[in-house]
Amino acid sequence: MARTMWDSSVGKKTVMAVSGLIMLLYLVVHMFGNLKIFFGAGDFNHYAHWLRTIGEPVMHYEWTLWVIRVVLVVAVVAHAVSAYQLSRRDLRARPSKYVHRKPRASYATRTMRWGGIILALFIVWHILDLTTGTVHSGGFQEGRPYQNVVDTFSTWYGNVIYIVAMLAVGLHVRHGFWSAAQTLGVGSRTRDRALKTVADVLALVLTAGFIAVPVGVMTGVVS
């Protein structure tokens, strides 16, 4: 049954919707956590340490964090594979262009694929920058995330990469949330306007919340 569901377009869209909502939930929590940087190094570093001790003493150090990471990796892979396969299936279904031009889609709709690629590349860079410290500028300091974040956003390229990626997040969320609602059967003619409003608000809040951190560093509010 699972294989039959996966092989169908409806099944792949459902996987995309569920995995997308999992990532959206993570983004909301992650954004609020990031904003703790405005309360100073002590609070932000304490928050980062708390993430590694969630569930103690039942869970050992970092076990809960690794469970979250595994769930996120599965969600990202499932989302990306579903999107790719649906895209290929769509191209095979209509190998030639339409004779009549289709109605102009929204900017978010037309950039979903490119936005997904941008976000995938950003995730790799973000992990190498602030988790492993591989490409970090200024000397990565283990256990001092506040200073590491300030170092990253003290460079012009760190700000550009992050802000472009967060704009892509906003566009992706704006279209993806509404699409997920339709796929999961939540949408209807009477609810569409409310769902689109929620999607717009989520996209705006997430984009503004994430971009606030590099802006805070650039303006000296966070230093």
Side-chain angles (χ1 to χ4, degrees):
M1 185 181 295
R3 181 55 187 267
T4 301
M5 186 68 174
W6 170 250
D7 287 340
S8 69
S9 294
V10 173
K12 294 183 189 299
K13 289 180 180 179
T14 301
V15 170
M16 278 195 70
V18 174
S19 59
L21 291 175
I22 291 172
M23 291 186 287
L24 177 59
L25 176 61
Y26 169 77
L27 285 173
V28 172
V29 175
H30 189 43
M31 180 202 69
F32 279 111
N34 281 2
L35 292 177
K36 290 184 72 68
I37 200 168
F38 290 100
F39 294 93
D43 278 7
F44 191 72
N45 289 341
H46 177 71
Y47 162 69
H49 176 72
W50 172 79
L51 289 175
R52 288 159 172 76
T53 59
I54 298 174
E56 289 186 344
V58 176
M59 303 290 281
H60 284 289
Y61 185 76
E62 285 196 345
W63 276 21
T64 302
L65 184 59
W66 273 106
V67 169
I68 294 171
R69 286 169 174 167
V70 169
V71 171
L72 282 172
V73 168
V74 171
V76 169
V77 171
H79 198 78
V81 171
S82 299
Y84 175 77
Q85 292 184 353
L86 282 169
S87 176
R88 298 302 301 173
R89 185 170 294 182
D90 183 52
L91 290 173
R92 286 196 299 269
R94 50 178 181 84
S96 58
K97 295 183 178 180
Y98 289 107
V99 176
H100 300 289
R101 292 180 64 86
K102 296 177 67 177
R104 185 176 178 83
S106 68
Y107 185 77
T109 302
R110 289 184 285 113
T111 56
M112 282 296 282
R113 290 189 182 93
W114 282 110
I117 294 172
I118 290 172
L119 292 177
L121 294 174
F122 168 74
I123 289 171
V124 173
W125 175 81
H126 197 51
I127 291 172
L128 293 176
D129 179 36
L130 292 176
T131 300
T132 67
T134 307
V135 299
H136 185 75
S137 61
F140 184 77
Q141 300 181 52
E142 188 70 38
R144 298 188 64 188
Y146 181 93
Q147 188 58 50
N148 293 332
V149 170
V150 171
D151 286 344
T152 291
F153 297 131
S154 295
T155 62
W156 68 267
Y157 59 86
N159 289 310
V160 170
I161 292 172
Y162 194 84
I163 291 174
V164 169
M166 292 309 103
L167 292 174
V169 164
L171 290 172
H172 218 74
V173 168
R174 182 175 179 269
H175 178 71
F177 179 83
W178 185 83
S179 295
Q182 305 304 308
T183 298
L184 298 176
V186 178
S188 68
R189 184 174 297 178
T190 56
R191 296 174 186 164
D192 277 357
R193 179 173 294 182
L195 288 170
K196 287 181 178 180
T197 300
V198 172
D200 289 342
V201 171
L202 272 173
L204 180 62
V205 170
L206 284 171
T207 304
F210 280 117
I211 289 179
V213 177
V215 170
V217 175
M218 283 189 288
T219 58
V221 175
V222 177
S223 64

